[in-house]
Amino acid sequence: TPRPAGPHSAVEENDLYSFSFSWPGSIPARLESRLKAEESKLKAEIVAGAKDDRDERAKRGFDYHPHAASRSYEYAGWSGRLISLMSSSYGFTGGAHGSTGSGAILWDKVLDREISIQDLLLPGTSWSGAIRQPFCVLLDREREKRRGEPVRKEDLFGNCPDYKEFTVLLTDTNKDARFDHIDVIADQYVAGPYAEGPYEILLPITAAMIERLKPEYRFSFKA
């Protein structure tokens, strides 16, 4: 098998754009290839968008503000079988302000490919309810704090978002190579207006959740 790759960090800045992309060391070669492809795609998008914006502004006699894109991956945890990576992204395309975002990659080292949380579970089972229900309760508590008033369901950002709108990460909080929490992130505009920023809530993995795992994945978790 190929040796694991070292850490990677690319940084570029010029009059047209600034770009950065990074990931940690000790990742499998196929995962590194997956990240290299993502880096190339993101860079191509920022360059094309920046050139279009610059040319359009020049035609109209407006000032051009360099675009920006950055994404960094770091470990949220790993076990003997699984690698969980979290990404933090920032983008600016000439508007009033930039935007941030999060993402997750779950990699099965035995299968040597990216999988989803659903792939870990026994057929016919799901974690989405076990994650979304406590998240919604804790989200409303946090929104109430930030807003200084109760959350009203009829407000623009009053509902709890759908599960598919969250970033859901397996997390090993005490670094013992077993996942013990789920980190759930609602990015800007998902659960509140820009000014409220993202919401991030850590939920413990429960025994009931572990029971729904396929046997080959259970050793990677603890309640």
Side-chain angles (χ1 to χ4, degrees), residues 136-197:
C136 291
V137 171
L138 296 168
L139 171 67
D140 273 353
R141 277 187 210 160
E142 186 55 38
R143 289 198 290 199
E144 203 163 302
K145 265 190 238 167
R146 293 188 196 181
R147 295 172 189 179
E149 60 180 16
V151 177
R152 291 185 297 272
K153 294 294 171 215
E154 65 275 10
D155 286 353
L156 175 59
F157 289 107
N159 279 340
C160 188
D162 287 342
Y163 179 83
K164 65 179 184 293
E165 293 185 71
F166 306 141
T167 297
V168 182
L169 281 152
L170 299 184
T171 306
D172 172 15
T173 58
N174 63 0
K175 307 287 186 279
D176 67 351
R178 293 175 84 185
F179 296 102
D180 47 42
H181 282 76
I182 299 277
D183 193 0
V184 188
I185 303 166
D187 289 326
Q188 288 171 324
Y189 298 118
V190 171
Y194 176 82
E196 285 178 15

Side-chain angles (χ1 to χ4, degrees), residues 14-34:
N14 53 47
D15 292 344
L16 187 62
Y17 62 86
S18 62
F19 177 79
S20 67
F21 203 103
S22 64
W23 60 77
S26 302
I27 61 171
R30 278 187 72 178
L31 176 51
E32 185 188 40
S33 297
R34 146 89 172 74

Side-chain angles (χ1 to χ4, degrees), residues 118-126 210-215 218:
Q118 192 59 43
D119 293 328
L120 303 171
L121 307 180
L122 293 164
T125 66
S126 167
I210 289 177
E211 277 172 22
R212 295 177 201 175
L213 289 165
K214 291 173 184 167
R218 283 184 192 161

